[in-house]
Amino acid sequence: MSELIPEIETRRARRALGEKPVPQEVLARVMTAATYAPSCFNSQPWRFLVVNGERELEIVKEHLAGGNYWAKKAPVIVLVFTRPELDCTLSDRRDYAFFSTGLAVENLLLQATREGLIAHPIAGYKPVALKEAFGVDSEMILINLVVVGYPGDEAHLNEKHRELEHSPRDRRPEDQVILYNRWRQGSGDVEAGA
Ligand SMILES: Cc1cc2nc3c(=O)[nH]c(=O)nc-3n(C[C@H](O)[C@H](O)[C@H](O)COP(=O)(O)O)c2cc1C
């Protein structure tokens, strides 16, 4: 039996979503969990636009990349925004807004998992058009969407995605990404272990 936190162990980016609505109190808990993430000087650089209205969801779904067709079943899609100026910007390209916002999104994913939901982050959408559709200031970066819903039927998935739904977790060998005490030259190369 694994000794990892159960939600870390069980969370997967699954795609077989059902259309069952997510109760408001569940959604509120998931979003509160996101905001409990740490950030540099407590800057809290994340901004979430939680979309669950029928017309508003349609708009988001019109802006998805073709490969994210499966997200059209979702009863909730969270638009995640940030911009570097909302968090510490330190030397050597340390723009912490993206880091902190990522921590918040992971909290969201884990709380959603705890609630029996699928929460799947995606980068495949038209960011500029989607921002415009919701009247969001162009300075904001729509860094990802999180597709949220209860598990549902796999019938609407293509064959590749149906297979992935049951695939084991796929990770690089740990010794490629975790080093103890000594840096190994080449560890940061793009092709390392690819
Ligand atoms: C920044 C980011 C962007 C992603 N974009 C997409 C996407 O557009 N479509 C998709 O189906 N999955 C997307 N994913 C999900 C990843 O493919 C998935 O997390 C990865 O394959 C590992 O699988 P696991 O989360 O089940 O362990 C994205 C994940 C992240 C963190």
Side-chain angles (χ1 to χ4, degrees):
M1 169 140 160
S2 167
E3 289 177 20
L4 293 183
I5 293 167
E7 289 74 20
I8 293 178
E9 184 70 50
T10 56
R11 184 214 60 81
R12 291 295 308 275
R14 294 201 170 81
R15 298 181 177 85
L17 290 163
E19 290 168 306
K20 182 179 150 188
V22 179
Q24 183 56 38
E25 71 272 16
V26 173
L27 193 51
R29 262 198 308 274
V30 167
M31 297 315 302
T32 297
T35 68
Y36 280 15
S39 56
C40 188
F41 281 104
N42 203 15
S43 309
Q44 304 165 68
W46 43 78
R47 301 290 183 272
F48 300 108
L49 181 58
V50 182
V51 177
N52 61 356
E54 202 176 325
R55 177 72 200 118
E56 292 81 0
L57 270 174
E58 272 310 306
I59 294 171
V60 178
K61 291 173 183 180
E62 282 163 13
H63 291 83
L64 294 174
N68 286 329
Y69 68 91
W70 51 270
K72 294 195 171 171
K73 293 270 178 205
V76 181
I77 300 182
V78 181
L79 279 55
V80 182
F81 297 91
T82 191
R83 60 190 178 99
E85 296 76 10
L86 292 177
D87 206 334
C88 307
T89 59
L90 304 182
S91 63
D92 203 23
R93 297 174 292 157
R94 288 176 295 156
D95 286 345
Y96 283 105
F98 302 103
F99 180 88
S100 305
T101 301
L103 294 174
V105 169
E106 182 67 0
N107 273 12
L108 188 167
L109 302 184
L110 294 178
Q111 184 67 32
T113 303
R114 174 64 170 249
E115 306 281 356
L117 291 160
I118 292 171
H120 186 144
I122 61 169
Y125 51 87
K126 295 178 187 143
V128 176
L130 191 46
K131 279 194 289 190
E132 279 172 7
F134 280 89
V136 178
D137 180 354
S138 66
E139 295 299 296
M140 295 303 291
I141 298 169
L142 179 48
I143 192 69
N144 77 297
L145 310 186
V146 185
V147 182
V148 181
Y150 288 102
D153 197 351
E154 289 176 22
H156 67 282
L157 298 182
N158 67 29
E159 204 176 315
K160 179 183 132 199
H161 286 159
R162 228 175 294 143
E163 231 168 74
L164 278 175
E165 212 63 6
H166 303 287
S167 64
R169 181 179 280 109
D170 179 23
R171 288 297 183 270
R172 292 173 189 265
E174 290 197 354
D175 65 1
Q176 276 181 17
V177 295
I178 306 171
L179 306 169
Y180 288 93
N181 300 313
R182 215 168 270 122
W183 182 254
R184 190 171 54 238
Q185 289 311 315
S187 292
D189 292 354
V190 171
E191 68 277 14

